[in-house]
Amino acid sequence: MSLVSTNKIEANKYELEVSADAEQFEAAIEKAYRKAKKNISINGFRKGNAPRKMVEKLYGANVFFEDAANDLIPVVVVPAVEEAQLELVTTPEILVSSINKENGVTFKVTATVKPEVEISDYKGIAVEKTVNAVTDEDVDKAIEALRDRNGRMVTVEDRPAANGDVAVIDFEGFKDGVPFDGGKENDYELNLGSGQFVPGFEEQIVGKSTGDEFTINVTFPENYQMKELAGQPTEFKIKINEIRAKELPELDDEFVKDATDFDTLDELKADYRKRLEANAAREAEVVVDNKLYEALLEKMTVEVPQVMYDNKIDEMVRDFEMRLSQQRLSLEMYLSYVGMDMDAFRKTFAERAEREVKVRLALEKIAKLENIEVSDEKAEEEINKLASQYNMTVAQVKQYISTEAIKADIAVSEAAKLVKDSANING
């Protein structure tokens, strides 16, 4: 293997010339022949026994060149990239620029690398911290949410349907007087005011009573996933079979005893206030962190290759898809529900991806400037924590993330702590 040359061709791009000599190439050709010969049939020879020279004579001297060149990539190109000390951010583009038995193979490798970052004045950043006060109203809202969770649905017979009710309905949809697919349901439980159905549908049920049969008219949105209905006026025949409303328990000490570990309403309110104040304090810290990160972005100079943003978006999409799968929903199905294609969906992550990539680069640079090093012991400690957190073995964790990646993450966390510890935080 020989790294012939390394040339910077753009801000974050290098072109490498890498060669494998004639001896290496010959060994790779022989390997490719031995791998392929079991499938080669030539008259006069049993299948798999045709001599290499005969195969090359029949199919051309270069018959094994492509396979041989591919076999040489991990042997010569990967070590050459390591020798050039380039930190790649994506798989390099590899082309064969010359190939023959006399001189071997020459590869042209185009590599996109992590960008150079310049940053200064990252210590002593001034930010304001505001911890929002917890009011009696905040406490009351939290307790009302608890009452709501402990409410029960009861049938309503003495009034019309209102927002917040569940209307149990039969409905059938028509377009130009003809029923359309998916437009009919019986005993459908519709949460009024939830926006489950197309605009105008739920609003026209509000005010109607149990037993009412009526017709409503709605126009589907222009971006509706069923193209035959998108932007089209339709008619629905509806019958209300039942109206249900949530009945909340009385807010007293008895309710508190039944629903919580406390004995009195005053004890519950005190606990909720304490929790809300702790949440407010945590939220204030998150805001401070974000202000510090924004300040870092203003203090850094970097030209980020687009592929780094694309990789981060890929990661975010995979994470979103995994969370959907836990709800037994595919990404394709989700996109059809929201009327969005993949390109539009990826764009929703673009701004956050750009910010996260830049913040990470800033903190990595600070870690280098501050000579932050992470020991093997600290990395192992973090791996053990991850194994416990995700109910995995240490070996399983290491299959998904390397020790070096763990060290990098810890270094970034310590750099973030350094920036915050040195900041001038008022409030």
Side-chain angles (χ1 to χ4, degrees):
M1 179 273 294
S2 175
L3 174 61
V4 179
S5 64
T6 304
N7 298 305
K8 189 173 184 177
I9 56 176
E10 292 179 21
N12 301 302
K13 239 173 212 188
Y14 285 80
E15 188 173 277
L16 283 63
E17 184 177 328
V18 181
S19 67
D21 61 26
E23 184 179 348
Q24 288 176 302
F25 187 41
E26 169 57 30
I29 292 173
E30 180 65 19
K31 179 181 176 182
Y33 157 69
R34 292 186 179 281
K35 191 186 298 183
K37 73 174 186 176
K38 63 180 179 292
N39 298 316
I40 298 174
S41 296
I42 294 179
N43 289 336
F45 299 93
R46 286 181 301 173
K47 185 176 181 179
N49 286 334
R52 176 179 149 190
K53 287 185 178 180
M54 185 65 70
V55 177
E56 289 176 334
K57 182 177 180 181
L58 186 62
Y59 294 104
N62 62 352
V63 62
F64 299 115
F65 278 19
E66 183 177 350
D67 288 341
N70 287 334
D71 285 342
L72 283 170
I73 288 174
V75 177
V76 299
V77 174
V78 173
V81 172
E82 292 174 356
E83 182 183 339
Q85 297 184 330
L86 300 178
E87 191 172 0
L88 305 190
V89 295
T90 189
T91 304
E93 179 186 336
I94 303 170
L95 299 174
V96 173
S97 55
S98 69
I99 184 168
N100 56 67
K101 290 185 179 181
E102 292 73 28
N103 300 311
V105 188
T106 301
F107 298 95
K108 184 176 79 171
V109 181
T110 305
T112 302
V113 301
K114 186 171 285 188
E116 287 294 323
V117 177
E118 292 182 12
I119 191 167
S120 60
D121 302 324
Y122 50 83
K123 293 180 180 178
I125 299 172
V127 296
E128 295 288 332
K129 180 170 79 170
T130 302
V131 180
N132 293 324
V134 175
T135 66
D136 291 343
E137 183 183 358
D138 295 329
V139 175
D140 290 342
K141 282 182 179 177
I143 291 177
E144 279 303 306
L146 176 66
R147 285 182 73 205
D148 186 73
R149 291 195 297 274
N150 284 273
R152 63 190 185 96
M153 300 303 294
V154 297
T155 300
V156 173
E157 297 177 343
D158 58 350
R159 64 167 175 80
N163 277 329
D165 292 343
V166 172
V168 182
I169 62 173
D170 298 339
F171 66 84
E172 185 172 14
F174 298 82
K175 179 177 175 292
D176 298 327
V178 179
F180 55 81
D181 291 341
K184 184 177 181 178
E185 287 283 352
N186 290 324
D187 288 328
Y188 186 90
E189 297 182 4
L190 176 61
N191 292 294
L192 298 178
S194 65
Q196 286 178 265
F197 278 24
V198 295
F201 190 101
E202 295 168 31
E203 293 85 343
Q204 295 180 69
I205 293 176
V206 170
K208 298 295 192 298
S209 300
T210 301
D212 285 355
E213 296 186 34
F214 52 96
T215 298
I216 65 173
N217 294 286
V218 295
T219 299
F220 279 80
E222 293 289 344
N223 63 347
Y224 192 67
Q225 62 267 24
M226 294 176 63
K227 296 189 183 305
E228 63 271 20
L229 294 177
Q232 297 299 307
T234 57
E235 178 183 80
F236 282 87
K237 292 182 179 179
I238 296 173
K239 179 185 177 184
I240 299 183
N241 299 322
E242 184 183 5
I243 299 169
R244 299 174 189 160
K246 183 170 284 188
E247 185 178 80
L248 302 182
E250 288 294 324
L251 184 57
D252 53 23
D253 291 347
E254 287 304 313
F255 162 68
V256 172
K257 289 177 184 178
D258 289 340
T260 74
D261 294 329
F262 297 97
D263 292 325
T264 69
L265 183 57
D266 287 341
E267 289 175 349
L268 179 64
K269 286 184 175 182
D271 180 72
Y272 268 47
R273 181 177 293 278
K274 184 178 178 181
R275 285 197 241 173
L276 290 170
E277 287 172 345
N279 286 340
R282 283 193 293 269
E283 288 171 3
E285 292 299 326
V286 170
V287 171
V288 166
D289 291 344
N290 287 331
K291 287 179 179 179
L292 289 171
Y293 295 153
E294 290 302 323
L296 290 181
L297 296 185
E298 292 176 2
K299 295 175 182 295
M300 76 183 294
T301 302
V302 66
E303 188 175 336
V304 182
Q306 181 61 41
V307 68
M308 291 190 73
Y309 297 143
D310 293 338
N311 289 345
K312 175 56 73 171
I313 292 173
D314 289 343
E315 180 184 316
M316 290 174 170
V317 170
R318 285 194 299 270
D319 180 65
F320 191 90
E321 189 170 15
M322 182 183 71
R323 285 184 279 117
L324 283 177
S325 68
Q326 293 170 351
Q327 303 172 42
R328 298 183 179 180
L329 189 66
S330 69
L331 181 57
E332 183 181 7
M333 191 179 299
Y334 171 82
L335 293 178
S336 71
Y337 286 161
V338 298
M340 189 181 291
D341 61 21
M342 180 56 79
D343 287 342
F345 179 63
R346 288 177 63 84
K347 285 178 183 176
T348 64
F349 295 104
E351 185 175 342
R352 182 159 66 95
E354 180 176 343
R355 182 179 182 277
E356 289 189 15
V357 167
K358 286 183 175 179
V359 168
R360 172 86 183 199
L361 288 170
L363 293 173
E364 286 177 345
K365 182 65 174 181
I366 291 169
K368 287 182 180 179
L369 292 172
E370 296 293 331
N371 296 314
I372 295 174
E373 295 184 358
V374 180
S375 66
D376 292 339
E377 293 76 16
K378 196 161 190 176
E380 284 297 317
E381 184 181 326
E382 183 63 24
I383 290 171
N384 283 321
K385 284 182 185 176
L386 290 172
S388 175
Q389 181 180 349
Y390 293 104
N391 195 27
M392 300 168 68
T393 66
V394 168
Q396 287 172 325
V397 172
K398 288 182 177 181
Q399 286 180 340
Y400 290 99
I401 183 168
S402 68
T403 300
E404 289 307 309
I406 290 287
K407 286 183 176 182
D409 288 345
I410 295 173
V412 163
S413 296
E414 293 189 359
K417 185 176 184 300
L418 180 149
V419 170
K420 189 169 186 178
D421 288 347
S422 70
N424 180 13
I425 301 173
N426 300 312

